[in-house]
Each structure stands twice: as C-alpha cells, then as structure tokens.
C-alpha cells in the first residue's frame, strides 16, 4: 500500500510548456525526496526537502514542501524532451527505516 | 567510480523455481536496501541492511522471500517457489551513511518474469 498519491499519473506535453506534479499524503514526513527514473534504470535523486514550506530550485525545476510536511510539488518550466521520465516522490518518516515512494508520474515531452 | 550493480539484469523463471538476485553496492556504503517495483508503479520497500545486520524486513511479502548480506557488502535476494505475482523489477540501493535522509544510489534493477 502506497501512502503517497501523485497526480497526474500521466502527462504528455510539448516542448516549452510548463507543468506541475503533485505528491499528497495524509501522513507527515520528516523529509521528502524527488527522483527521476528512466526506462531500464534505477531512480536518480533530484532533491531532498526537509523543512515545511521549503522551496528548492534545480535549474528549470522548482520543488516545494508543504507547510505541514504532508505534501509536495514539482514544477518544471519550459519542459524539454530530456525531462521525459517517471517522476517519483518518496517520503521518510521519523520512526521508519524506509522510504515510502509515491505512485509515480510519467512525463513525456515531445518536440 | 562504479555505481550500484545488479545481476542478472533479466531473469525468466518458471513458476515454482527458486531465483537469486545479486546486488553489489558502492564500496564502503553502510546501508543497503531492496525494493520491488511493479510495472508503472513506484518502488515498494522490501528490506534494509546496515552493514551485515538486517534491521528491517517488514516489506518482504512472504516467507518465500529471503535476503542476506553476510559480509556487509554484496547482498542476495532469494525468492523460493516463485509465483506469477513475483514478476517485477527488483531494485537495490545503497547509501553511505546510516541516516536515511541521505541519498540512496540505485542500481539498474533485475527484471524478473515468472511464467
């Protein structure tokens, strides 16, 4: 059972468009990570957010951790074909020894 | 340097066969994790090692699943009497430090198909 729901599940956009992916839970996380996974590969970490309300930017990607540390968003500006992949959020609770991954958002950016 | 490697990359097993999946973590990494990823889904936690100690195996779906890391380096995930529902990609990840909010480095996974 995955406690982190991502939306949308699938997103197909054209190069240059903006998009936002959401990651929601009823649980509080001590930190939250975003990963990108390409076919045939393992997930690669993009960012870790720790503080409620925290905003981090990675080039054209902006990550926000909700004030209550239950949700997060990933915004991509001017998407490029190289952004294509499966985006996964993953939360860590203070008392658990494992990451809980979200359901995933598959993004396709076409020319 | 070398990343996390997993072997085999692909495995086809007939229902009822036993399989063994290997993970070579990054040298010196203390923590090692196994995840199961169904098609189109996010990975789900199976088990966690700190050095040779298996600290959490709460995600193993049944007693047919067994993992070990006897010398605190290479790990093996064994599945006995495979069933069709075991078909998935099995991911291994390692981390340098004990604190789990630090980065986990993932291997490419082993895709298991049970026929």
């Amino acid at each position: 059972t995955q406690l982190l729901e991502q939306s949308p599940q699938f997103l197909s956009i054209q190069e240059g468009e903006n998009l936002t992916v959401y990651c929601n839970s009823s649980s509080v996380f001590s930190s939250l990570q975003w990963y990108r996974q390409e076919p045939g590969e393992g997930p690669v970490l993009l960012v870790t957010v720790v503080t409620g309300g925290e905003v981090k930017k990675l080039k054209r990607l902006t990550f926000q951790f909700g004030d209550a540390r239950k949700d997060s968003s990933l915004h991509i500006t001017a998407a490029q074909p190289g952004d294509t992949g499966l985006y996964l959020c993953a939360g860590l609770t203070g008392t658990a020894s494992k990451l809980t991954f979200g359901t995933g958002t598959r993004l396709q950016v076409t020319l | 340097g070398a990343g996390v490697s997993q072997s085999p990359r692909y495995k086809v097993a007939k229902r009822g066969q036993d399989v063994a999946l290997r993970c070579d973590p990054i040298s010196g990494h203390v923590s090692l994790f196994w995840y199961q990823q169904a098609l189109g889904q996010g990975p789900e936690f199976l088990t966690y090692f700190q050095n040779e100690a298996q600290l959490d195996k709460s995600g193993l779906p049944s007693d047919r699943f067994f993992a070990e890391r006897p010398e605190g380096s290479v790990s093996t995930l064994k599945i006995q009497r495979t069933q069709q529902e075991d078909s998935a990609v099995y991911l291994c990840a390692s981390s340098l430090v004990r604190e789990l909010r630090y980065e986990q480095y993932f291997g490419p996974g082993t895709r298991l198909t049970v026929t």
Side-chain angles (χ1 to χ4, degrees):
Chain A
T1 302
Q2 293 183 298
L3 305 177
L4 281 166
E5 294 289 333
Q6 289 183 234
S7 61
Q9 276 189 293
F10 302 98
L11 195 53
S12 181
I13 61 172
Q14 290 191 319
E15 183 180 19
E17 292 185 21
N18 302 331
L19 67 119
T20 302
V21 177
Y22 299 94
C23 173
N24 295 292
S25 175
S26 57
S27 301
V28 175
F29 293 100
S30 58
S31 66
L32 193 136
Q33 298 179 330
W34 283 92
Y35 290 81
R36 182 170 70 208
Q37 185 177 22
E38 300 190 21
E41 300 295 328
V44 176
L45 180 67
L46 297 174
V47 76
T48 299
V49 286
V50 179
T51 306
E54 182 176 3
V55 176
K56 280 192 174 179
K57 292 191 175 183
L58 182 65
K59 297 183 180 178
R60 294 176 292 100
L61 280 60
T62 301
F63 305 85
Q64 184 163 10
F65 201 11
D67 291 342
R69 292 185 287 134
K70 293 182 179 181
D71 55 84
S72 181
S73 64
L74 158 60
H75 182 80
I76 301 179
T77 303
Q80 299 177 0
D83 296 328
T84 294
L86 178 67
Y87 287 82
L88 296 160
C89 62
L92 181 67
T93 59
T95 57
S97 59
K98 55 186 178 280
L99 282 174
T100 299
F101 277 88
T103 48
T105 295
R106 188 165 298 281
L107 171 65
Q108 182 169 18
V109 182
T110 56
L111 293 171
Chain B
V4 178
S5 61
Q6 294 186 243
S7 60
R9 290 294 310 274
Y10 304 91
K11 177 69 179 177
V12 179
K14 291 187 177 179
R15 189 161 56 104
Q17 282 185 333
D18 297 349
V19 298
L21 313 179
R22 177 187 170 106
C23 172
D24 284 82
I26 294 173
S27 178
H29 276 199
V30 170
S31 301
L32 185 144
F33 306 82
W34 283 99
Y35 295 86
Q36 180 189 61
Q37 186 174 25
L39 188 63
Q41 298 292 316
E44 293 203 14
F45 170 84
L46 293 177
T47 187
Y48 158 58
F49 291 86
Q50 190 176 100
N51 297 307
E52 69 280 1
Q54 189 175 21
L55 298 187
D56 189 340
K57 55 181 181 179
S58 61
L60 295 176
S62 77
D63 58 9
R64 296 185 296 103
F65 286 70
F66 172 76
E68 61 183 3
R69 194 186 185 199
E71 297 178 0
S73 179
V74 171
S75 178
T76 304
L77 176 66
K78 297 179 179 178
I79 309 174
Q80 296 177 323
R81 304 181 303 282
T82 52
Q83 304 293 316
Q84 283 190 320
E85 61 263 27
D86 300 335
S87 295
V89 174
Y90 290 85
L91 293 166
C92 174
S94 70
S95 178
L96 179 60
V97 294
R98 292 178 177 80
E99 294 183 35
L100 292 152
R101 68 185 181 94
Y102 282 77
E103 180 170 2
Q104 294 186 21
Y105 294 83
F106 283 81
T110 294
R111 180 177 296 279
L112 172 65
T113 303
V114 181
T115 60

